[in-house]
Amino acid sequence: MSRTKGRYQQNLRADAARVLFQILEQGMSARECLPNAQQDHNEKDKAWLQEMTYGVLRQLPLLQHWLRLLLDKPLKKNVKIVEHLIMLGFYQLAFSRVSTHAAVSECVNACAPLNAVATKGLVNAVLRNFIRQEMANELPDNEQILSGQPKWLYKKLLTAYPEKHTPILEAMQVKAPIWLRVNQNQKSTDEYCRLLDENDIIYERQDEQPQGLILSKGCDITTLPGYDEGWFAVQDGAAQLAANLLNSQPNERILDCCAAPGGKTCHILELEPKIASCVAMDIDLSRLQRIEENLTRLGHQASLICGDASEPKAWWNGEQFDRILLDAPCSATGIIRRHPDIKWLRKSSDIDTLVALQAKIIDAIWPLLKPGGTMLYATCSILPAENQLQISAFLERTTDAALDPEFNNDAIDKPGRQILPGEKNMDGFYYARLLKS
Ligand SMILES: C[S@@+](CC[C@H](N)C(=O)[O-])C[C@H]1O[C@@H](n2cnc3c(N)ncnc32)[C@H](O)[C@@H]1O
């Protein structure tokens, strides 16, 4: 990887270490801190920053294992950030094509902008030891460390999928492809594909996503045909199933519950422009503004409500809906391949809290559905507690709720459809379609 020389180069490593510090020590999400770090860099370096920080987040347990072997004792609080710089160095040496010389010298040079000049010698020594001892070939005999997942999540996946946890863990480490959803109000999928052909952009299509396509190579999506005109949106193939499964019909009232940033709201509006109304609600005002931006970019309209889905009395006008999409807040374990910071931001105890919140929301929202109406429950989780077990428990306590027999259920005792990460190029996702009698 060729890089510009000088001060700028040092700042790039320092910026990557800062992002890692903010995520791993301060609990910020990559979405919050990466754009800040990227803003003064050119496009190539922006991509590099994401590639490197995501790479470290993917391989963190192994990098920490090497750090424990090579560092006598943890660094003091005021230079803790240097541990992240060293792990970035390990990552470059073990997983990237950057030359060993550049990896070492650039990490050493990054100590100054991190206010840790005194650690230069240490960083140099640890990285040189890593090379001399050929640590990159030194892999522990420990599936959890090699899986790249935190212990708690590794254990949960092992319990949930005793027979197929290995391919699931592997798929969670593979970078996700870019999926587009063609905005049918502007272009048909075929028309848009012809534009991609004319621009020599290679893609694939799948039957399950009639409005979708997968780009064969990563790219800057703002350079794709019709970005400014709103001819497409970026949305994973699993998320694209939601509006299709909701299957809205003309003149129906639709509620998109927990809707921000509005990817599925826009898709619902594109699939059936003749619905009577679509209400998109979310608890987070700043995220609700992102729904507004997405609706405007794609040329759609919906009514937006800021409210708590578990307390509909505060915001619902009493008119029931024909169909409800409930895209519940969840662990997001199905999209770790796309957002590897998630696994370090979540804790095991968060899962119980989320399961309780999901149950509270589904119970509170069910009365908003008309008799004969359809609710699609969705999560981007692969943990049974949030999915099949959640829905089984709901069905048990709700006499007027039943599974839609036309919807593909995994098995009689496993309601709904669990999509695993990487399956047909999709993120991990869960859907259950429920009917109200
Ligand atoms: C999985 S995301 C939704 C993604 C969205 N449906 C889309 O396709 O773009 C979950 C959303 O639930 C919202 N949320 C969390 N707790 C909520 C609550 N109690 N009431 C309403 N929304 C909530 C979050 O703000 C977040 O935007």
Side-chain angles (χ1 to χ4, degrees), residues 176-177 179 234-241 337-338 425-429:
W179 276 86
V234 175
Q235 186 180 42
D236 185 78
Q240 290 188 32
L241 299 180
R337 62 179 196 149
R338 210 174 272 289
N425 278 310
M426 293 186 279
D427 284 344
F429 238 86

Side-chain angles (χ1 to χ4, degrees), residues 258-264 281-284 287 307-309 327-329 357 361:
C258 305
K264 300 185 188 79
M281 71 85 51
D282 202 279
I283 200 167
D284 185 330
R287 282 173 65 80
D308 183 344
D327 196 7
L357 176 63
I361 293 180

Side-chain angles (χ1 to χ4, degrees), residues 290-310:
R290 292 194 52 213
I291 307 188
E292 185 75 68
E293 287 160 18
N294 281 325
L295 288 168
T296 308
R297 192 179 86 76
L298 298 173
H300 304 310
Q301 281 187 329
S303 312
L304 303 190
I305 293 180
C306 187
D308 183 344
S310 68

